[in-house]
Amino acid sequence: MKTIVYEMNEVPKKIFDFYANAFPNSAFFKIRKNSKLFLTHTADVGHLSPWITWPTMHRGVSNIDHTISDLGQDLTYVNKDFPSVWEILAQSGRKVGVFGSLQSYPLPKNLENYEFYLPDTFAAGNECYPSEINDFQAFNLSMVKINGRNVSKSLVVKDTAKFLMRAKKLGLSFETFKKIGFQVAQEQFNADRVVRRRTSQAEIAFDLYFEQLQKNLPDISFFFTNHVASSLHRYWPTVFPNDYKEGKFELDWCQRWSGEIPHSIKIANFQLNRLIDFCDKNNHRLIVASSMGQGAVEEAEPVYRQVLIADIKKFLKFLNIPDTAWAPRLSMSPQVVIKPKVKNLMQKLSRLNNIYINDKKISFFETSTGDIRFDLILTNVKNLEIYELSNKINPTDLGLANVDLQDASSAYAYHTPQGVLINYEPNEKRKNNISEEWTDISVLDFAPSILRSLGINKTSYMHGLDNLFI
């Protein structure tokens, strides 16, 4: 059976059940009541991040084996030893589509059995297949670059204009175009609404994915969205205030941001409704999956401002590192990542060991693939005091900024090992494939089960079960 995998990043059972029960006419309710329900447990050890847990799910081995630990990591050897499930399927002659799945850059060398392929939003370049999608990816990457800890009202004009010229042909619907226009208009009257641009990106991406899906009808396709996870991290207390000590969050803050998780869920619900209708009409299977979940961080405190490396060029120039010695890499704010172009860059960075920002250091280390990552955790300070040994430094000279956060949010919810996997089958086939209760499984069961469902034996290194979709 042809299959759609809707990768709904970090959405836990608690969220799925909450909205299914609250809205009995929703896609959440329909898929909750008409599917096989699984609770997934990640097989990874150490710190959990989506750029680790999704490769585990896609490859059928844990991070102990695949060793993926960073965004933008060179995957040449990993792809050879533990290829992703879509690569195995394509090499076996199945028609495949990939749209935004994490750690999917670069394009496969052999695209013969790919109907479409758009890498993730942290890709080092905008190359896609077919190449007509490149303009969207350039726009997508530019938005990620300018929207860090706060969401910017700015647009990269050149990339935006190029995409808009081709948007209709690529599948951007008039309905989505109207929604975006309404979004921009709302921002003029309520500046808080700018945070919803994160979700607008997911709306545009889904339209383009759905166009490729309808046009090509691949045997299997993968669509990744992070827009719900982004809202859960920031606004969990507005939906689940009882998960925290009473009085931790001001009532005004909760009311001000109470619409953000419902808004992101509304968009996901719209997308799921379209996919359910498509699957029922075209006899496709729909799998809704998260490689892990989220849960409340009870000890989290409100964050009103945060110190960021706002200008990486100025930061490195202060350390006497020229622009020719490095290249920027996309990363999750507040982290900053660069790619060295010279061999001795780490030695030059040792000067940071003598620089203290309010008694804290900027940590830096070399990743497994040679990139350098900078981390600084400093929040809710009124004034910056920066010293290199006994010399006081102006924050702007170091490229630092003490940024007021537009939504005063922190990681109020964070990663948990347990996610969901929901198997919805169309029409008559689902009558014998429905469960009221959630069954515990390992994420390692996903890849071998996908292979078996499309007539391919699991590889020798996959130890997960292969019977989820029979």
Side-chain angles (χ1 to χ4, degrees):
M1 186 188 304
K2 292 189 174 186
T3 301
I4 295 169
V5 183
Y6 184 81
E7 297 177 346
M8 200 173 180
N9 192 37
E10 298 172 24
V11 175
K13 172 182 178 291
K14 183 170 184 172
I15 287 291
F16 222 96
D17 281 347
F18 181 84
Y19 281 97
N21 293 332
F23 299 98
N25 293 320
S26 66
F28 277 73
F29 179 87
K30 184 173 182 178
I31 202 169
R32 170 74 175 78
K33 293 297 182 182
N34 294 282
S35 304
K36 265 190 175 179
L37 308 173
F38 301 100
L39 284 176
T40 61
H41 294 263
T42 187
D44 298 314
V45 297
H47 182 75
L48 298 179
S49 293
W51 46 89
I52 298 172
T53 58
W54 279 110
T56 294
M57 198 164 187
H58 293 147
R59 296 164 193 267
V61 294
S62 76
N63 61 340
I64 295 174
D65 292 317
H66 65 62
T67 67
I68 296 173
S69 59
D70 295 283
L71 288 166
Q73 186 171 332
D74 185 344
L75 303 178
T76 302
Y77 294 106
V78 179
N79 287 340
K80 182 179 179 181
D81 294 337
F82 305 107
S84 61
V85 67
W86 55 74
E87 184 66 9
I88 297 172
L89 289 164
Q91 290 176 356
S92 301
R94 305 303 184 270
K95 298 298 182 181
V96 179
V98 175
F99 209 102
S101 295
L102 281 186
Q103 302 288 20
S104 55
Y105 183 85
L107 293 179
K109 292 182 179 179
N110 183 358
L111 290 164
E112 181 180 356
N113 288 315
Y114 287 95
E115 300 290 0
F116 54 91
Y117 197 107
L118 182 139
D120 62 69
T121 55
F122 297 95
N126 69 324
E127 315 92 79
C128 299
Y129 178 78
S131 59
E132 64 192 42
I133 316 175
N134 289 8
D135 288 339
F136 166 71
Q137 184 70 331
F139 163 76
N140 205 26
L141 297 177
S142 71
M143 293 299 290
V144 172
K145 186 175 182 179
I146 65 174
N147 290 323
R149 194 60 180 84
N150 284 332
V151 179
S152 172
K153 286 187 176 182
S154 302
L155 293 171
V156 178
V157 176
K158 180 180 177 181
D159 292 330
T160 303
K162 286 183 70 176
F163 166 61
L164 288 176
M165 287 178 64
R166 307 191 69 173
K168 184 177 180 181
K169 183 179 179 181
L170 292 176
L172 184 67
S173 67
F174 182 64
E175 183 174 0
T176 298
F177 190 79
K178 283 196 303 181
K179 287 180 182 178
I180 295 171
F182 182 67
Q183 159 73 26
V184 173
Q186 276 190 315
E187 293 170 10
Q188 310 310 309
F189 300 98
N190 183 349
D192 291 346
R193 289 293 181 262
V194 73
V195 303
R196 296 186 178 181
R197 290 196 179 193
R198 298 185 183 102
T199 300
S200 296
Q201 277 183 260
E203 292 180 273
I204 296 169
F206 182 81
D207 273 8
L208 273 60
Y209 161 74
F210 200 72
E211 174 72 12
Q212 292 293 327
L213 174 67
Q214 293 180 102
K215 183 165 63 176
N216 296 294
L217 296 176
D219 295 316
I220 186 168
S221 63
F222 301 80
F223 175 80
F224 175 87
T225 178
N226 186 58
H227 75 280
V228 174
S230 177
S231 290
L232 297 182
H233 278 310
R234 292 170 170 84
Y235 311 116
W236 188 281
T238 67
V239 176
F240 302 114
N242 293 333
D243 287 352
Y244 306 86
K245 183 179 178 181
E246 186 176 356
K248 172 169 282 194
F249 299 98
E250 295 178 1
L251 181 61
D252 286 349
W253 182 89
C254 289
Q255 291 176 339
R256 180 178 176 184
W257 301 104
S258 62
E260 301 315 307
I261 291 178
H263 175 72
S264 67
I265 292 292
K266 179 182 177 181
I267 301 307
N269 187 75
F270 173 81
Q271 294 175 356
L272 286 172
N273 259 326
R274 291 194 73 182
L275 293 176
I276 289 170
D277 290 344
F278 179 87
C279 289
D280 286 345
K281 292 175 182 176
N282 295 277
N283 197 36
H284 280 47
R285 181 198 312 274
L286 173 61
I287 297 169
V288 179
S290 58
S291 64
M292 61 179 173
Q294 285 190 33
V297 180
E298 296 180 30
E299 66 273 17
E301 295 292 338
V303 175
Y304 302 101
R305 62 183 63 87
Q306 184 166 7
V307 180
L308 302 174
I309 301 175
D311 190 331
I312 185 62
K313 283 189 175 183
K314 189 176 287 187
F315 175 78
L316 294 173
K317 185 177 181 180
F318 181 89
L319 301 173
N320 296 318
I321 297 173
D323 293 349
T324 54
W326 60 278
R329 300 296 296 264
L330 288 176
S331 61
M332 285 272 195
S333 181
Q335 295 175 349
V336 176
V337 180
I338 63 171
K339 183 177 183 64
K341 291 184 176 181
V342 295
K343 292 183 179 180
N344 63 341
L345 195 57
M346 282 293 287
Q347 294 176 1
K348 292 185 176 181
L349 290 173
S350 62
R351 185 177 166 188
L352 285 172
N353 293 323
N354 298 321
I355 297 177
Y356 288 84
I357 302 106
N358 292 57
D359 296 324
K360 288 186 178 290
K361 289 184 180 181
I362 296 176
S363 64
F364 62 98
F365 72 97
E366 190 173 17
T367 70
S368 59
T369 53
D371 290 342
I372 297 173
R373 191 172 82 196
F374 302 94
D375 291 288
L376 175 62
I377 302 175
L378 189 57
T379 59
N380 291 338
V381 296
K382 292 183 178 180
N383 300 299
L384 290 184
E385 296 285 337
I386 307 176
Y387 285 89
E388 182 176 14
L389 299 177
S390 60
N391 298 318
K392 191 170 184 178
I393 302 171
N394 189 316
T396 57
D397 292 341
L398 195 55
L400 301 186
N402 194 9
V403 177
D404 290 327
L405 300 187
Q406 60 199 169
D407 52 9
S409 68
S410 178
Y412 298 139
Y414 205 62
H415 306 146
T416 60
Q418 194 175 69
V420 299
L421 192 150
I422 301 171
N423 176 32
Y424 176 88
E425 295 186 348
N427 305 318
E428 294 297 319
K429 293 189 177 182
R430 70 168 171 262
K431 288 185 177 180
N432 297 319
N433 206 5
I434 296 175
S435 55
E436 290 292 326
E437 300 299 323
W438 297 81
T439 301
D440 288 334
I441 63 169
S442 168
V443 294
L444 299 180
D445 299 340
F446 173 77
S449 293
I450 284 290
L451 293 177
R452 182 176 177 181
S453 73
L454 291 170
I456 300 169
N457 293 328
K458 70 178 184 180
T459 61
S460 60
Y461 55 77
M462 291 182 180
H463 301 300
L465 302 176
D466 64 357
N467 60 354
L468 297 184
F469 311 124
I470 59 173

